[in-house]
Amino acid sequence: MDKAINRQKVLLQHLNPSQSSSSTSLSASACLAGDSAAYHRTASFGDDVVIVAAYRTALCKAKRGGFKDTHADDLLAPVLKAVIEKTNLNPSEVGDIVVGSVLGGGSQRASECRMAAFYAGFPETVPVRTVNRQCSSGLQAVADVAAAIRAGFYDIGIGAGLESMTTNPMAWEGSVNPKVQMFEQAQNCLLPMGITSENVSNRFGVSRKEQDEAAVESHRRAAAATASGKFKDEIIPVLTKIVDPKTGEEKSVTISVDDGIRPNATLSDLAKLKPVFKKDGTTTAGNSSQVSDGAGAVLLMKRSIAIQKGLPILGVFRSFVAVGVDPAIMGVGPAAAIPVAVKAAGLELDDIDLFEINEAFASQFVYCRNKLGLDSQKINVNGGAMAIGHPLGATGARCVATLLHEMKRRGKDCRFGVISMCIGTGMGAAAVFERGDSVDELRNARKVDDLYLSKDAR
């Protein structure tokens, strides 16, 4: 009890203006009360990195879907343009554009991203670069921009993601260094992702039925979200073309709906599918993520700048981590990364209201969910990659848009959200976000049911 009372006294001192100051205004500073029921913030309120816009394209099946004849730069340009037009921001104020991309050739993809920025109306003075941390590249781009803003390199930036798996299929180019044979973990970096999925299911006992059930639920939720119009808040329609492969005839189309969702998916249907990677395995085309084309973009800035411009705040960037795991079971990455990211934000798992965990494979998704003891009603509430798709470099940006728009819809019932994914070669990434309108300048962490500042006093 004494401990809690002392903490209250410290907090009250922050609320009282200095006796020696002639100013009567209050200023926020880092609270020293040590409240473990709250998450800590070392930066001042106005220095928070916030998200004011987050949009994506629809995600379409590679080689067969709506973007099969769309150039990669034509996927990225519409979302870059959207974050500027919908916020009425002068594009010349953007300090950097960072684009996560995995499969596109290094210098070519970098050039395509620069070209897309010009299509979207950015002046030559705004720089562009790419980043590749495999499946977390889009989230890494957002984190890189947030870090640069915090470091004072610039006040406004865009983190984006792009992948055309139609144009750039997954393949190894050139020979493999024979030295890899001397290092088992290095060898395991070359394992097909499907084999790592089988390793997870075998090692941790994730059954075929559990995997198929997760896939059916993903499609059910995604279909329900589409039917109710939820994704309209985050999807930017893209005017493009479809070429008839038989006649060569071109037709103009506007793509605004994810085309890989199967509303009528059933367990009995999935049970008929044969394993893809091992004869006696459990990983099938039905319980794996879809190979997709798509893009997303997230506009970040200092809170003080957003307030100055009168922009509504969609979310607050709180923490990000990337961790390493055994390459042979790379799918366990989220189970390792999420607790670290949550702790870095000064939170506990029970504080998180929503999770977006990339469904690279049902095996790893089910394992991570069970390992962390997460409530399935909090995870991928609008479906995940098994239904919506997984355009590698764009997935992180897609998840930011999906998570923050859902948090906005839920309002006060949803304060904190987490995005996480596994990463090829054995890593995991996770980030914590806070709903944009849930923080006041005195930075109370959350409503409590008693008068104590900390649960330590209970």
Side-chain angles (χ1 to χ4, degrees):
M1 178 66 74
D2 291 340
K3 190 177 180 181
I5 292 174
N6 287 335
R7 289 176 176 175
Q8 286 179 320
K9 289 179 179 178
V10 174
L11 181 59
L12 288 173
Q13 289 174 4
H14 284 270
L15 300 178
N16 290 325
S18 172
Q19 298 296 327
S20 61
S21 173
S22 60
S23 172
T24 59
S25 63
L26 293 176
S27 61
S29 60
C31 179
L32 302 178
D35 180 9
S36 64
Y39 65 101
H40 57 274
R41 302 181 192 161
T42 56
S44 65
F45 180 78
D47 287 337
D48 280 342
V49 177
V50 302
I51 295 94
V52 298
Y55 297 105
R56 67 176 179 96
T57 67
L59 303 191
C60 296
K61 294 176 287 188
K63 300 186 182 298
R64 297 179 293 134
F67 292 137
K68 71 180 182 66
D69 301 305
T70 303
H71 292 287
D73 39 335
D74 283 332
L75 281 174
L76 181 60
V79 290
L80 293 180
K81 186 175 183 179
V83 294
I84 295 301
E85 287 191 342
K86 290 182 177 292
T87 56
N88 291 315
L89 182 71
N90 184 336
S92 65
E93 295 183 74
V94 174
D96 201 2
I97 300 172
V98 182
V99 184
S101 188
V102 178
L103 301 177
S107 60
Q108 178 175 326
R109 181 49 46 87
S111 297
E112 289 170 330
C113 292
R114 177 73 162 155
M115 290 154 55
F118 288 131
Y119 303 160
F122 287 84
E124 63 185 26
T125 53
V126 178
V128 179
R129 70 174 173 90
T130 57
V131 61
N132 186 347
R133 200 197 287 269
Q134 309 264 40
C135 299
S136 71
S137 298
L139 185 61
Q140 186 69 59
V142 172
D144 283 3
V145 170
I149 292 173
R150 282 179 176 167
F153 296 161
Y154 47 80
D155 292 335
I156 302 172
I158 295 173
L162 165 67
E163 209 70 65
S164 173
M165 299 182 78
T166 294
T167 306
N168 307 111
M170 298 178 70
W172 183 276
E173 294 184 6
S175 61
V176 176
N177 187 342
K179 185 178 181 179
V180 74
Q181 301 295 332
M182 301 167 57
F183 298 87
E184 181 181 358
Q185 288 184 310
Q187 267 187 289
N188 289 339
C189 290
L190 300 176
L191 289 175
M193 294 298 96
I195 294 299
T196 71
S197 171
E198 294 289 3
N199 290 344
V200 170
S201 63
N202 289 336
R203 189 175 301 187
F204 302 108
V206 183
S207 70
R208 168 72 182 267
K209 182 181 179 183
E210 286 179 293
Q211 295 175 57
D212 288 350
E213 286 174 342
V216 169
E217 183 63 11
S218 183
H219 283 280
R220 186 192 69 79
R221 293 182 180 189
T226 301
S228 64
K230 284 186 176 182
F231 291 145
K232 290 181 179 179
D233 293 337
E234 64 193 65
I235 292 179
I236 298 301
V238 176
L239 178 62
T240 185
K241 66 181 180 181
I242 292 286
V243 179
D244 187 311
K246 295 181 179 179
T247 66
E249 180 185 356
E250 292 187 7
K251 180 174 67 173
S252 293
V253 293
T254 298
I255 305 297
S256 60
V257 178
D258 304 313
D259 67 15
I261 301 169
R262 299 189 292 275
N264 300 318
T266 65
L267 276 176
S268 59
D269 288 339
L270 292 189
K272 298 174 184 177
L273 298 177
K274 294 182 178 180
V276 177
F277 300 96
K278 288 178 64 178
K279 185 176 181 180
D280 58 346
T282 60
T283 300
T284 72
N287 58 34
S288 304
S289 59
Q290 297 188 34
V291 178
S292 311
D293 304 328
V298 180
L299 178 60
L300 302 94
M301 61 183 66
K302 287 175 63 174
R303 183 192 290 275
S304 57
I305 300 297
I307 292 173
Q308 177 186 326
K309 293 181 176 296
L311 293 173
I313 295 172
L314 188 61
V316 186
F317 187 93
R318 288 301 175 201
S319 71
F320 170 81
V321 301
V323 302
V325 299
D326 182 353
I329 50 170
M330 68 91 202
V332 306
I338 289 173
V340 181
V342 170
K343 183 178 181 180
L347 296 168
E348 299 173 0
L349 279 176
D350 288 344
D351 296 316
I352 307 304
D353 301 296
L354 283 180
F355 294 84
E356 281 289 329
I357 300 178
N358 187 46
E359 299 167 349
F361 297 96
S363 61
Q364 58 83 210
F365 170 75
V366 171
Y367 167 78
C368 293
R369 181 191 67 196
N370 295 347
K371 176 66 175 178
L372 297 177
L374 304 181
D375 181 351
S376 62
Q377 297 305 308
K378 290 183 176 182
I379 313 170
N380 298 355
V381 295
N382 294 318
M386 287 185 284
I388 299 171
H390 178 27
L392 308 182
T395 287
R398 193 282 295 176
C399 287
V400 173
T402 301
L403 175 71
L404 293 184
H405 283 285
E406 180 62 27
M407 291 175 73
K408 179 181 178 181
R409 278 189 292 271
R410 296 190 175 208
K412 293 183 178 180
D413 292 332
C414 185
R415 181 160 190 177
F416 296 107
V418 163
I419 293 170
S420 186
M421 62 279 293
C422 57
I423 303 170
T425 71
M427 288 177 279
V432 177
F433 296 84
E434 184 173 10
R435 198 184 76 251
D437 60 355
S438 62
V439 187
D440 59 37
E441 194 162 352
L442 293 177
R443 297 175 294 163
N444 294 315
R446 64 174 183 235
K447 181 180 178 181
V448 294
D449 296 328
D450 52 43
L451 296 179
Y452 300 138
L453 287 177
S454 173
K455 63 185 178 184
D456 293 343
R458 294 172 188 169

